[in-house]
Amino acid sequence: MKGVLFDIDYSDEQNVIRLYLRKTRDLVVVNDPRFEHYFFVTGPNPQKLAQLISKLRIPSNGGFIKPLKTEVVERTRLGEPTPAVKVVLEKPKHLQPLRRTIRDLPGVNAIYGYDIPVSKQYLIEHGLRPMDGVETKIDEKQLTVLSPPKAVELDLPDLRVMSFDIEVYNPTGAPRPEQDPVLMISLAGNDGFRRVLTWKKDSPPLKFVEVVEDERTMIKRFIEIIKERDVDILLGYNTDFFDFPYLKDRAKHLKLKLALGRDESEIVSKRRRFATATRIRGRIHVDVYAIVNFLATIGNIRLIHYTLEDVYRYVFGKEKPDFEFTRFVEAWERGGELWKRLLEYSLSDAEATLELGLEFLPLFIQICKIVGQTLFDVTRMTPGQLVEWLLVAEAQRRGELVPARPVGGEYEERMEETYAGAYVMEPKRGMHENLVVFDFRSLYPSIIVTHNIDPSTINCKCCEPSESTRVPELDYHICAKRKGFIPGVLKKLIETRSQLKRELKKMKRDTPEYTVLNAQQWALKVISNSFYGVLGYPRARWYSREAAESVTSFGRYYIRQSIQEAERFGLRVVYSDTDSLHCTLNGKSKKDAIRFMEELNRRLPGIIELELEGFYPRAVYVTKKRYAMIDEDGRITVKGLEFVRRDWAQIAKRTQQAVLEAILREGSKEKAADIVRTVTRRIQKGEVDLNDLIIYTQLKMPIESYRSVGPHVAAAKRLRERGVEVEPGMVIGYVVVRGSGSISDRAIPVELLEGRNYDPDYYVEHQVLPAVMRIMEVLGYSDESLRFQRSRQRGLEEFLS
DNA sequence: CCGATT
DNA sequence: AACGGCTAATCGG
């Protein structure tokens, strides 16, 4: 049998691995009862150790837990040949008791691979890649595997994708699952299916609305539709955290089973570190919010709020309908136009989720194939976890023992070890014209590969420190004889990506082939860029402070070298951060600049390469990490300035941006001053919309833990006094109002404003002026007469004149 | 005013 | 369950 490996899990009741194979039209589940689950033990005398372990009998429930078999095998550890005892288990359940007993046996050095779940070990052992093909002999009647499954290349058939969203009755703000019903469930499929289920009798006769008897019938109908339409992938937005837990509670209350599984099994919610993830057997539940979160951490999406509306606007540049959640109850009770709008809004949520899901699924399907883990898992992993599971699979392939993740003390120790990072040059402040910007292409990955940086190659015992092996600034050297494991894996990823990019250049955009290949190269980039982070991450299996430290040290070395070379060539370097070089042409031509880059590249080792990022007619540098540039097509890039931050009021950010535009586009400080004048007047006259004055700050801890009570903490306390539950992770929005006392004394949460007036002085002096002055100052407005701190009115007047 | 906290 | 570098506001002694 051949099919695409859609999903995999382990059944405890049957003690089998279940492979979910997606055939051209439907899904077949085959069981493998012959799987092996094992871990490795090392010690000075492996033969004796194997003997000892094989005789273990751990009493349990009237019986015994014992290893199924033990054998001594050849493995490597950080590249060194190491014999190990392979302990095969009778059942995955036996793993922890056996491991704990073995840990305390005499003659045991370390245990490896005990923290790899059985289904993941199965994938790795057989080299299978979810979302790619698998081939195996099966017993047709029993649907059991007769030969070890093999990975084969196979195209993914068209999948049936559906998204859903629920709206809930919420008279107190936060809905209470014991009493507040689900009002509607909307669905949108990639086949064009659109539906909103509701149980409000007098709902308008829209063609996508289906009115049912009651809430219970609605949930049953939802399950029925998912089943009827044979959904492969079920999407939602924040469904791990909200929709599924809520539906589950409601179902329990209504004595219903949420039997969404393809085999009509109930959904299973498992608590993970920060969220609960919900599994549906035979289908894949993808929470698009988790995907968005992932893209935010790698810098692909950068927003103030990650609401569906904001993300949709950012990704597609289009608006979708919005609806105040405070008006759900009113809509339900009043009906009419408001209720109709809620129905439409709910459907638009499902549609937007579907659109976003379809946009990013190709990327995650490719990630599945590269790291060899399921779509369910990879859409919920951090970049570091992706790298780690890829490395676990590669280690297995090479017979390398997989180090365990550190626990307790070791983690604490690693946490203590900090190291120096990147070099950031103090910018030459002010406005510059005719700039060229270069950056090193994937600097850290290139360094790891070029310099063979790996936990096993740093300070090896087989090589002597020498000119060619030494790490700049550090008392480390790198092995010249053995290729490291991590650089080896990374090199392959980078080479594959270059190959793909060459192929892509020859292809037409907007073809299905292009989409697939592009997703593939993107996936490779995402993963490659996360290797360095994992070397320096205390919880990582292949953590090595020395290796991470060597990477940043080489980085500083190359960027400093390039600054010198650029200056020697005649360019003037005005700024540099980590891997980038901002230069003014300084009389040289664009061609000269390119020649400089090419000459430098000829001398750079390995795959380290400087690239042209672009030419910029104008740029303003404020401080390290804060600058703005305009390119030849008039596009403005702003880095680090207030306007990308949520802890500044919209009014300050917008004014700063307008000022930047006036300066960069037109070179006009006068126009900039004009803009500021208009805005400050509007603030003083009380004409500014409250929404433009809200400052958002995230609570990072329980409020009692704060030693210093900042405005957002003070605002959060006020919320709590009014009975609102305040938790870490919440984003508090507040406005500073008129009155006496500190800023914190006057920070009122948006929810409690109740017509109070904002403090115009605060917004002029602490928001708008600081934001614009930072830019104006470096352009020569730094004179004392322009400072606004003294007499407020006079300072402002002088500044404007 | 200035270091600590965020 | 990804790294360090960095700026800036506000608190609070």
Side-chain angles (χ1 to χ4, degrees):
Chain A
M1 176 178 276
K2 219 170 164 181
V4 166
L5 181 60
F6 189 65
D7 202 0
I8 186 167
D9 63 15
Y10 164 75
S11 161
D12 186 34
E13 306 91 73
Q14 303 169 69
N15 194 29
V16 293
I17 288 286
R18 287 183 296 221
L19 301 168
Y20 297 78
L21 302 186
R22 183 64 161 73
K23 313 278 283 180
T24 317
R25 285 192 57 86
D26 40 38
L27 187 94
V28 182
V29 186
V30 294
N31 294 335
D32 189 349
R34 318 183 320 160
F35 72 94
E36 272 196 346
H37 194 211
Y38 50 84
F39 57 86
F40 298 95
V41 187
T42 60
N45 189 340
Q47 300 294 347
K48 207 173 135 194
L49 196 54
Q51 281 276 314
L52 192 60
I53 293 170
S54 68
K55 290 189 188 119
L56 284 178
R57 299 288 181 272
I58 306 167
S60 160
N61 297 332
F64 290 106
I65 292 175
K66 58 182 194 350
L68 183 66
K69 72 178 185 203
T70 58
E71 58 175 322
V72 178
V73 292
E74 263 321 308
R75 285 292 182 274
T76 58
R77 204 191 76 87
L78 293 179
E80 293 293 338
T82 308
V85 183
K86 180 176 178 181
V87 181
V88 184
L89 306 164
E90 273 179 358
K91 282 188 143 207
K93 259 195 219 167
H94 298 170
L95 192 143
Q96 287 312 331
L98 270 171
R99 184 199 132 223
R100 274 191 211 115
T101 308
I102 291 170
R103 190 177 53 188
D104 301 330
L105 289 179
V108 170
N109 277 358
I111 309 179
Y112 294 88
Y114 61 82
D115 50 5
I116 301 171
V118 59
S119 63
K120 288 188 165 63
Q121 194 176 72
Y122 187 94
L123 287 171
I124 293 163
E125 158 140 14
H126 296 89
L128 305 182
R129 291 184 302 261
M131 295 296 159
D132 206 342
V134 56
E135 191 175 14
T136 176
K137 266 202 201 100
I138 64 155
D139 176 326
E140 301 267 347
K141 275 189 204 124
Q142 306 272 325
L143 286 175
T144 53
V145 170
L146 297 174
S147 70
K150 280 197 321 237
V152 289
E153 264 186 49
L154 199 62
D155 283 338
L156 194 62
D158 289 333
L159 297 176
R160 291 177 286 271
V161 184
M162 180 83 83
S163 74
F164 82 104
D165 182 45
I166 69 173
E167 311 303 343
V168 177
Y169 191 72
N170 57 351
T172 57
R176 302 148 298 178
E178 323 74 54
Q179 43 192 305
D180 297 331
V182 177
L183 303 181
M184 58 178 87
I185 304 177
S186 44
L187 296 129
N190 65 341
D191 55 356
F193 179 80
R194 297 291 183 270
R195 188 68 51 90
V196 178
L197 305 173
T198 184
W199 49 284
K200 186 171 168 61
K201 290 290 152 340
D202 54 353
S203 292
L206 298 164
K207 66 174 185 294
F208 57 83
V209 173
E210 180 180 333
V211 182
V212 295
E213 191 54 34
D214 50 21
E215 187 194 10
R216 195 166 191 278
T217 320
M218 177 178 73
I219 297 174
K220 279 172 82 176
R221 181 74 184 116
F222 168 62
I223 297 167
E224 201 173 86
I225 292 173
I226 299 298
K227 195 178 151 196
E228 267 171 21
R229 309 201 71 95
D230 201 18
V231 171
D232 292 305
I233 297 182
L234 187 62
L235 304 174
Y237 199 81
N238 206 22
T239 34
D240 268 343
F241 196 77
F242 179 71
D243 301 57
F244 269 130
Y246 202 89
L247 272 177
K248 218 178 167 184
D249 283 346
R250 287 308 292 166
K252 194 173 162 194
H253 183 80
L254 299 165
K255 300 198 168 48
L256 257 174
K257 279 195 166 172
L258 272 184
L260 284 164
R262 244 170 169 138
D263 57 355
E264 296 182 24
S265 59
E266 266 193 280
I267 62 168
V268 181
S269 300
K270 243 201 211 132
R271 275 193 72 85
R272 298 192 160 198
R273 202 131 303 185
F274 291 114
T276 45
T278 300
R279 269 180 199 280
I280 306 167
R281 201 179 301 157
R283 307 185 208 282
I284 300 177
H285 165 218
V286 172
D287 186 341
V288 177
Y289 180 71
I291 287 183
V292 166
N293 239 322
F294 179 93
L295 296 172
T297 52
I298 64 170
N300 257 312
I301 296 182
R302 194 177 156 76
L303 286 171
I304 290 172
H305 310 285
Y306 292 87
T307 62
L308 183 54
E309 284 75 24
D310 285 355
V311 171
Y312 186 80
R313 185 184 309 110
Y314 183 88
V315 173
F316 298 115
K318 297 187 283 189
E319 291 295 323
K320 69 169 287 302
D322 202 356
F323 196 98
E324 278 289 313
F325 75 94
T326 47
R327 300 187 74 190
F328 285 180
V329 171
E330 188 191 346
W332 171 258
E333 269 146 22
R334 274 201 2 220
E337 189 57 29
L338 196 63
W339 177 247
K340 181 175 167 239
R341 259 187 49 218
L342 183 55
L343 290 164
E344 285 164 346
Y345 157 78
S346 182
L347 181 65
S348 81
D349 267 8
E351 287 178 320
T353 303
L354 175 70
E355 230 181 303
L356 284 168
L358 294 175
E359 179 75 16
F360 297 120
L361 277 176
L363 170 66
F364 283 86
I365 286 169
Q366 294 306 325
I367 292 178
C368 280
K369 294 194 196 186
I370 297 165
V371 309
Q373 294 299 328
T374 64
L375 185 64
F376 179 87
D377 285 332
V378 302
T379 54
R380 290 169 176 78
M381 282 183 192
T382 64
Q385 286 172 297
L386 294 180
V387 169
E388 202 152 274
W389 283 112
L390 169 66
L391 288 176
V392 170
E394 286 291 335
Q396 171 85 21
R397 239 158 265 164
R398 293 163 195 236
E400 171 77 22
L401 292 166
V402 175
R405 283 175 290 226
V407 283
E410 189 174 7
Y411 169 68
E412 299 287 324
E413 276 168 40
R414 289 178 175 189
M415 280 277 279
E416 305 285 306
E417 319 179 316
T418 59
Y419 62 93
Y423 169 68
V424 186
M425 185 183 131
E426 194 60 54
K428 300 208 161 54
R429 296 181 187 218
M431 174 130 81
H432 299 290
E433 299 201 327
N434 299 320
L435 296 103
V436 58
V437 176
F438 302 109
D439 54 26
F440 279 99
R441 190 193 48 197
S442 310
L443 181 62
Y444 288 177
S446 305
I447 287 173
I448 293 171
V449 171
T450 300
H451 293 288
N452 194 28
I453 296 174
D454 186 80
S456 75
T457 59
I458 300 286
N459 299 333
C460 68
K461 296 196 180 69
C462 58
C463 302
E464 287 297 314
S466 76
E467 201 50 52
S468 61
T469 61
R470 216 185 303 275
V471 179
E473 294 175 36
L474 297 170
D475 203 12
Y476 300 154
H477 73 276
I478 299 164
C479 186
K481 293 177 183 151
R482 192 167 58 209
K483 281 268 329 123
F485 166 57
I486 286 175
V489 176
L490 186 53
K491 186 168 183 231
K492 228 166 65 190
L493 299 182
I494 294 172
E495 282 170 356
T496 313
R497 175 158 185 258
S498 312
Q499 171 83 31
L500 285 170
K501 288 198 82 172
R502 278 196 294 276
E503 284 175 44
L504 273 168
K505 272 194 183 150
K506 292 180 247 158
M507 292 173 67
K508 254 197 243 151
R509 281 174 154 267
D510 297 323
T511 59
E513 296 76 30
Y514 188 95
T515 309
V516 171
L517 247 57
N518 193 42
Q520 207 176 335
Q521 71 83 13
W522 186 13
L524 287 165
K525 179 184 179 179
V526 168
I527 295 164
S528 303
N529 284 344
S530 307
F531 272 66
Y532 155 70
V534 160
L535 288 175
Y537 175 50
R539 280 195 202 275
R541 295 176 190 269
W542 279 276
Y543 168 84
S544 163
R545 193 209 67 217
E546 291 85 349
E549 199 177 10
S550 301
V551 174
T552 56
S553 178
F554 271 113
R556 292 192 299 272
Y557 171 78
Y558 284 115
I559 199 71
R560 284 190 176 129
Q561 194 94 341
S562 312
I563 292 171
Q564 274 186 15
E565 295 290 331
E567 295 273 356
R568 194 181 309 165
F569 184 86
L571 298 169
R572 187 163 172 264
V573 181
V574 296
Y575 183 55
S576 165
D577 180 353
T578 313
D579 57 356
S580 70
L581 215 52
H582 299 227
C583 317
T584 53
L585 287 174
N586 200 23
K588 299 274 178 191
S589 69
K590 289 183 189 172
K591 268 194 183 152
D592 290 335
I594 291 169
R595 195 162 50 85
F596 157 74
M597 180 184 80
E598 286 167 351
E599 275 172 21
L600 185 66
N601 279 334
R602 270 197 284 281
R603 292 177 358 239
L604 287 167
I607 60 169
I608 296 171
E609 197 183 328
L610 196 65
E611 277 185 328
L612 176 69
E613 205 265 325
F615 292 103
Y616 296 86
R618 274 198 197 110
V620 183
Y621 294 85
V622 179
T623 58
K624 287 181 177 185
K625 307 269 180 195
R626 297 185 161 219
Y627 60 91
M629 327 188 275
I630 186 164
D631 71 11
E632 291 168 313
D633 300 320
R635 279 188 294 257
I636 290 177
T637 308
V638 181
K639 286 284 153 85
L641 287 157
E642 279 68 15
F643 100 136
V644 279
R645 308 183 54 113
R646 67 175 156 203
D647 53 356
W648 282 80
Q650 183 69 215
I651 189 84
K653 294 184 282 187
R654 267 216 302 261
T655 313
Q656 186 183 62
Q657 192 181 9
V659 163
L660 274 173
E661 297 235 350
I663 287 162
L664 289 175
R665 233 181 265 290
E666 298 162 48
S668 165
K669 295 176 200 172
E670 292 69 33
K671 192 176 171 193
D674 223 26
I675 292 163
V676 181
R677 186 181 306 130
T678 314
V679 172
T680 47
R681 189 181 305 128
R682 281 187 49 228
I683 294 175
Q684 293 293 356
K685 284 191 171 173
E687 294 172 357
V688 179
D689 189 297
L690 273 180
N691 286 316
D692 293 338
L693 300 174
I694 304 170
I695 297 161
Y696 295 95
T697 314
Q698 188 180 38
L699 275 186
K700 297 274 192 192
M701 329 182 255
I703 46 181
E704 309 77 49
S705 309
Y706 281 89
R707 285 196 275 170
S708 164
V709 180
H712 72 297
V713 181
K717 281 188 172 169
R718 294 193 173 94
L719 269 183
R720 194 172 59 174
E721 276 163 28
R722 291 292 194 92
V724 181
E725 219 179 300
V726 173
E727 287 170 333
M730 253 174 100
V731 176
I732 308 290
Y734 63 89
V735 171
V736 177
V737 300
R738 277 182 200 272
S740 60
S742 69
I743 292 165
S744 291
D745 292 337
R746 295 179 286 122
I748 307 298
V750 208
E751 294 85 342
L752 309 178
L753 272 176
E754 292 152 0
R756 292 182 66 173
N757 288 324
Y758 69 83
D759 175 8
D761 284 347
Y762 173 80
Y763 283 96
V764 170
E765 301 297 333
H766 292 251
Q767 292 278 322
V768 172
L769 285 185
V772 298
M773 279 305 287
R774 264 191 272 292
I775 297 154
M776 299 303 275
E777 226 165 40
V778 300
L779 299 176
Y781 280 77
S782 56
D783 186 284
E784 264 309 297
S785 68
L786 293 184
R787 303 202 77 78
F788 49 85
Q789 283 100 327
R790 287 188 289 147
S791 157
R792 284 177 179 175
Q793 272 323 105
R794 211 186 71 217
L796 179 62
E797 289 302 323
E798 284 174 27
F799 162 66
L800 294 171
S801 70

